[in-house]
Amino acid sequence: MQGRGRRILLMAAGAVGTLAGGEPPTLPLVLVLWSLGITWAVLGWRRYIEPMWVAIPLGVLLALYSPVAAVEEHGWFYAVAIGTAAAVMAVSVPARNPVLLGMGTVAMFGFVTAAVVRYFGDTLGVPAALALTGLFILGLALVTARLLKAARP
């Protein structure tokens, strides 16, 4: 089974190398990098890629950072980026992994802020939306901290 994980990663790396040869379209490259990051993190979680404490954060970092290239051209990709950040935050709580929680929170704040500025940049709603977003993220952090404290014996 370990050989299968390596083959998947090599195929994905080959696809990225093929797409990066010239002036590739942004969306396919971002989708390949995003799925490579998710695959890398899952394979690290299942201990196919060692060490686990390096593989998971690097895969998550790639999955969270790769949408940055696509959101400027394809606004709908904000939903993918925000969903990925929310999934990372949700996985970090039962896993009791503060590194993943921090990565997801920073990505969520960045993508939500960028989306608000993009779609509401010329209105008075930007400061209000940013304030509400900040309060929402702080509330999530507070709930997460309390859940982690309650889960400890």
Side-chain angles (χ1 to χ4, degrees), residues 18-111:
T18 301
L19 286 174
E23 188 65 34
T26 306
L27 190 59
L29 180 61
V30 168
L31 286 172
V32 167
L33 289 173
W34 178 74
S35 59
L36 177 65
I38 291 172
T39 304
W40 192 274
V42 168
L43 289 175
W45 191 275
R46 293 183 172 222
R47 298 179 191 263
Y48 290 124
I49 301 174
E50 295 286 338
M52 179 180 163
W53 57 273
V54 173
I56 294 172
L58 287 179
V60 167
L61 182 66
L62 182 60
L64 288 173
Y65 189 70
S66 60
V68 170
V71 292
E72 190 171 322
E73 292 178 28
H74 308 281
W76 61 268
F77 217 73
Y78 278 114
V80 174
I82 291 170
T84 303
V88 168
M89 291 171 66
V91 166
S92 71
V93 174
R96 296 183 181 174
N97 192 331
V99 173
L100 293 183
L101 180 62
M103 291 170 70
T105 303
V106 168
M108 176 75 79
F109 180 73
F111 285 123

Side-chain angles (χ1 to χ4, degrees), residues 1-13:
M1 194 67 155
Q2 193 170 11
R4 181 184 293 172
R6 287 185 184 150
R7 277 186 262 140
I8 291 171
L9 289 176
L10 287 175
M11 287 189 315

Side-chain angles (χ1 to χ4, degrees), residues 11 26 44 94-95 115-116 119 122 130 145:
M11 287 189 315
T26 306
V116 166
Y119 293 111
D122 296 334
L130 288 177

